[in-house]
Amino acid sequence: MLGTYPPERCSPPYGSCARGDSGAEPYLATHNFVLAHATAVEIYKRKYQSKQKGLIGIVMATTWYEPLTDSPEDRLATERLLAFDVPWFLDPIVYGDYPPEMRQLLGSRLPTFSPEERRKLGYKLDFIGVNHYTTLYAKDCMFSPGCPLGQQSHSQHALVAVTGERNGIPIGPSNPMPMPTFYVVPDGIAKIVTYVMKRYNNLPMFVTENGYEQGGDGYAHVEDWLDDQGRIQYLDAYLTKLAEVIRDGADVRGYFVWSLIDNFEWLYGYTLRFGLHYVDFQTQERKPKSSALWYKRFLQSLHEAQ
């Protein structure tokens, strides 16, 4: 919608691209995405699952949202924005149609599913993957004239503004991470897992990505990357919150930290590092960061507790 990501298709007022239609193409692309998923699931379940005994699911990139204020408008805007996020993809896959919150706003801009497509969607998921890093504030723009819409694509058509600050104060204790929308808010992972659990009848979940990126002017030497105390604090806090919701009944089957090694981030290249292990991109030499040693001890303690 904004033209930020490849293939850079968009239209005014959302962005300035050589071609594209921000009002229609995001919904057509998502529709094709959902149908491609349904086709893959049908093939796997009909031809391979009984022999391989594998599981097939889908991974969702998630952000948790909190109302900017306690007003009814901002609370409803938050619910609306959440529906324009994960349920945009998962509601059709689990329930056979797009979220009613989206239908009410978009009408005919949302495609419909044919009887044959609904049949394919009947092959249900075995699990939901949850990628989660950050939490943001949501502010209503439906009843607020002149409200500046946020720079996240789905928030535009949801008529919601997103921000990481309230009255100049970040939503997390600070914003040490260089990505502009990444804040340390451990409660967010508990709340998004609970949201997915309740909306989708506690289908098995895996946290397929959760992590902390380093980057910026404060990393001049290798030692600066290796002593990643911020990542340790992040992982410790998020894992603690995740353990709480598991104890409360969320069927979370596994957790994957992002990432084992520093890697190429598709919009940021080699300028950001998410890895537990430092990689010299010239020599390919790898060195464990402090977080790798911490995470090893953490896993050993879990094993010993069993």
Side-chain angles (χ1 to χ4, degrees):
M1 188 180 294
L2 301 178
T4 306
Y5 295 89
E8 295 183 343
R9 294 179 65 91
C10 65
S11 61
Y14 304 100
S16 178
C17 301
R19 55 188 174 178
D21 182 352
S22 294
E25 287 185 354
Y27 304 107
L28 180 60
T30 301
H31 194 70
N32 290 335
F33 177 97
V34 169
L35 294 177
H37 167 84
T39 300
V41 171
E42 179 185 27
I43 291 170
Y44 185 75
K45 285 187 173 282
R46 288 180 60 188
K47 294 187 176 182
Y48 302 104
Q49 190 170 45
S50 61
K51 180 172 64 177
Q52 295 180 352
K53 309 299 181 186
L55 303 177
I56 188 165
I58 192 168
V59 174
M60 292 286 100
T62 71
T63 298
W64 180 250
Y65 299 97
E66 292 285 350
L68 182 65
T69 72
D70 196 36
S71 70
E73 293 81 8
D74 282 358
R75 291 200 302 270
L76 287 172
T78 302
E79 295 175 11
R80 192 165 65 243
L81 183 54
L82 285 166
F84 271 72
D85 201 274
V86 174
W88 181 2
F89 297 82
L90 281 186
D91 270 26
I93 292 168
V94 177
Y95 298 122
D97 202 359
Y98 291 109
E101 299 95 329
M102 296 185 72
R103 284 279 182 208
Q104 290 170 5
L105 274 180
L106 299 174
S108 61
R109 275 191 288 177
L110 275 179
T112 57
F113 295 99
S114 70
E116 170 61 13
E117 290 165 349
R118 288 182 184 275
R119 183 196 65 77
K120 282 190 174 186
L121 288 168
Y123 290 91
K124 298 303 183 185
L125 296 171
D126 297 318
F127 70 88
I128 296 170
V130 175
N131 291 359
H132 179 78
Y133 294 89
T134 188
T135 297
L136 296 169
Y137 288 121
K139 175 178 172 53
D140 174 69
C141 291
M142 184 179 291
F143 303 103
S144 303
C147 172
L149 289 172
Q151 289 303 304
Q152 291 200 351
S153 57
H154 56 283
S155 69
Q156 308 277 341
H157 287 177
L159 301 178
V160 181
V162 293
T163 178
E165 297 183 354
R166 179 165 58 194
N167 299 324
I169 301 173
I171 190 170
S174 61
N175 187 21
M177 296 192 282
M179 291 180 73
T181 60
F182 274 35
Y183 295 83
V184 180
V185 187
D187 281 344
I189 195 168
K191 292 179 178 180
I192 192 63
V193 166
T194 300
Y195 178 84
V196 173
M197 174 183 74
K198 291 181 177 179
R199 190 157 185 135
Y200 303 108
N201 302 315
N202 208 10
L203 273 167
M205 281 177 275
F206 292 84
V207 176
T208 36
E209 282 188 31
N210 174 241
Y212 178 101
E213 94 275 13
Q214 302 163 284
D217 297 334
Y219 295 90
H221 307 286
V222 173
E223 290 73 19
D224 299 328
W225 300 103
L226 295 178
D227 187 24
D228 57 343
Q229 296 301 314
R231 179 173 288 111
I232 293 172
Q233 295 168 12
Y234 178 99
L235 294 176
D236 185 42
Y238 275 68
L239 284 165
T240 297
K241 289 296 181 180
L242 182 61
E244 290 177 4
V245 292
I246 292 173
R247 286 194 293 269
D248 289 339
D251 189 3
V252 178
R253 305 286 181 91
Y255 170 92
F256 296 83
V257 64
W258 188 261
S259 171
L260 177 67
I261 61 173
D262 291 332
N263 62 290
F264 183 91
E265 290 296 322
W266 66 323
L267 284 186
Y268 294 89
Y270 295 113
T271 63
L272 297 182
R273 294 176 181 263
F274 277 89
L276 299 181
H277 289 76
Y278 171 84
V279 177
D280 184 318
F281 294 120
Q282 298 299 319
T283 67
Q284 297 297 300
E285 181 184 6
R286 303 174 183 182
K287 295 181 180 179
K289 301 177 186 177
S290 297
S291 60
L293 304 176
W294 176 88
Y295 197 56
K296 180 180 180 179
R297 291 192 297 268
F298 167 77
L299 295 177
Q300 286 175 334
S301 69
L302 290 181
H303 180 70
E304 291 166 1
Q306 295 175 349

